[in-house]
Amino acid sequence: FPSHDMRGLRNGGVAPLGFKVNPDNKSVLVIDESEAGHVRNIFDLFLIEGSLYRAAAKLREQKVPCRPSDNEKNERNQSWNVQNLASVLRSYHYAGLREVNKQNKSKPQADLAPHEKYQVVKAAWSGIVPEATFFAVQKVLDDNQKLERVRRNGSAKRNFLQSLGVYRDWE
């Protein structure tokens, strides 16, 4: 019998932006149309801007509501930043998909039992954004991450005058 996760059901917690918990079945999300337009705008805006920083700034400028994360107590002060925007854009919920065994994603899959393997399954709810849009966003996020890693690793070491001891002669 497939597990709760394998059937695309949720395990609880706060419903993500754009969704409500189905009152008849708490394991299923339903689209909250009052917020779904914001979610579509967030994905589209990111694809236009191509940057978490610029997209977060635009979302703040447009006053797009931001749902506080579970650990944010003060809802009124929560605004878009790179971290919470990335969290929304990386969430498979929005494409109507579920990640199963996410904690095992980086482990060698061949070493795992079938029920332990990381996989993406169809969720028990509809997506807010088309899968093509969701995966286009993942590609931009992944490409940006690779570019940032290369920039950081390949950046020339900067020598500042004081660290070179240039001023010692003048003391």
Side-chain angles (χ1 to χ4, degrees), residues 144-162:
N144 287 357
Q145 235 174 1
K146 282 182 205 140
L147 287 171
E148 180 59 20
R149 212 171 293 122
V150 166
R151 188 190 68 73
R152 258 186 284 135
N153 294 342
S155 63
K157 296 280 179 264
R158 294 190 187 94
N159 292 314
F160 293 96
L161 289 177
Q162 283 183 309

Side-chain angles (χ1 to χ4, degrees), residues 8-10 19 27-30 93-94 96-98 123-127:
L9 299 171
R10 64 188 291 272
F19 289 105
S27 299
V28 177
L29 296 172
V30 290
H93 288 90
Y94 295 111
L97 300 169
R98 284 264 295 124
W125 54 84
S126 302

Side-chain angles (χ1 to χ4, degrees), residues 8-153:
L9 299 171
R10 64 188 291 272
N11 297 326
V14 179
L17 179 70
F19 289 105
K20 298 185 274 203
V21 176
N22 182 340
D24 301 327
N25 181 352
K26 303 246 182 273
S27 299
V28 177
L29 296 172
V30 290
I31 295 173
D32 179 349
E33 286 305 332
S34 69
E35 293 179 347
H38 295 307
V39 171
R40 291 181 195 101
N41 178 39
I42 290 163
F43 275 81
D44 292 343
L45 185 69
F46 175 75
L47 286 174
I48 292 164
E49 294 298 328
S51 146
L52 287 168
Y53 181 81
R54 287 194 306 268
K58 278 270 169 54
L59 291 168
R60 288 191 304 271
E61 193 180 291
Q62 295 174 8
K63 297 192 178 1
V64 174
C66 176
R67 178 151 319 151
S69 57
D70 293 343
N71 57 8
E72 279 289 338
K73 297 288 179 254
N74 189 345
E75 292 185 32
R76 285 182 297 258
N77 292 339
Q78 182 73 358
S79 66
W80 289 104
N81 59 46
V82 169
Q83 290 78 20
N84 58 21
L85 176 57
S87 175
V88 166
L89 294 172
R90 289 284 191 194
S91 175
Y92 279 79
H93 288 90
Y94 295 111
L97 300 169
R98 284 264 295 124
E99 286 181 290
V100 178
N101 297 316
K102 193 174 177 179
Q103 73 280 6
N104 295 339
K105 188 175 185 175
S106 59
K107 294 179 182 171
Q109 298 299 300
D111 298 347
L112 300 172
H115 68 279
E116 297 172 326
K117 292 181 193 280
Y118 169 81
Q119 55 189 303
V120 175
V121 298
K122 197 88 187 114
W125 54 84
S126 302
I128 294 176
V129 297
E131 280 186 36
T133 300
F134 178 79
F135 287 111
V137 163
Q138 302 317 298
K139 175 150 181 25
V140 173
L141 288 168
D142 292 344
D143 290 350
N144 287 357
Q145 235 174 1
K146 282 182 205 140
L147 287 171
E148 180 59 20
R149 212 171 293 122
V150 166
R151 188 190 68 73
R152 258 186 284 135
N153 294 342

